[in-house]
Amino acid sequence: MRKLSIVLFVSVVLVGLVLLGLGLVELGGTVAFLARAEQTDARFAGAVARSGGNHGGTFLYPTFRFVTGDGRSMTFTSSSGSTAQPYSDGERVRIAYDPRRPEDARLLSFLTLWIAPVLLCGAGLLLTGGAVILRAGLARQRRGRT
């Protein structure tokens, strides 16, 4: 039984550390992107419909048009979609894009930029920290009985 609890503890901690590591990589990528990115306004130009997902329905991925600092007209489709379109025709949104690769553009929103790092780091910290705290509490409880 003791061996099983050690294996379970180590497994949970390792999964937590992997998730934390992935979250930190995502965080670093987002920070690096924002450091080199230029910001501008873009206009909603329609949506791309894609079927799938858990509910088997259609997701709408908003498409935006913007002009780069050097005058090129660009279009990009957001990587996050929804079942309802949250934008009206021509609505302006703030975006960031890589000036060397303007097709790499992202909406300046919490969901687009930060949700993956926050969820991964949060899950990693929760699993790792929870396992360590639980293990320490059980060890203290065992010492109290002897």
Side-chain angles (χ1 to χ4, degrees), residues 45-111:
V48 175
R50 295 182 188 138
S51 60
N54 293 337
H55 74 301
T58 300
F59 278 90
L60 302 172
Y61 295 85
T63 299
F64 301 94
R65 286 195 182 98
F66 66 99
V67 177
T68 64
D70 60 4
R72 289 184 285 170
S73 181
M74 301 295 297
T75 302
F76 86 96
T77 301
S78 176
S79 60
S80 57
S82 63
T83 54
Q85 193 52 252
Y87 303 100
S88 358
D89 286 342
E91 184 175 340
R92 288 174 42 179
V93 296
R94 200 80 178 139
I95 66 159
Y97 68 94
D98 185 338
R100 294 174 299 192
R101 295 180 37 240
E103 62 277 2
D104 184 8
R106 302 175 197 176
L107 290 171
L108 288 175
S109 72
F110 177 80
L111 183 64

Side-chain angles (χ1 to χ4, degrees), residues 24-34 36 106:
L24 291 173
V25 167
E26 283 285 325
L27 179 64
T30 298
V31 169
F33 170 78
L34 290 173
R36 70 178 178 272
R106 302 175 197 176

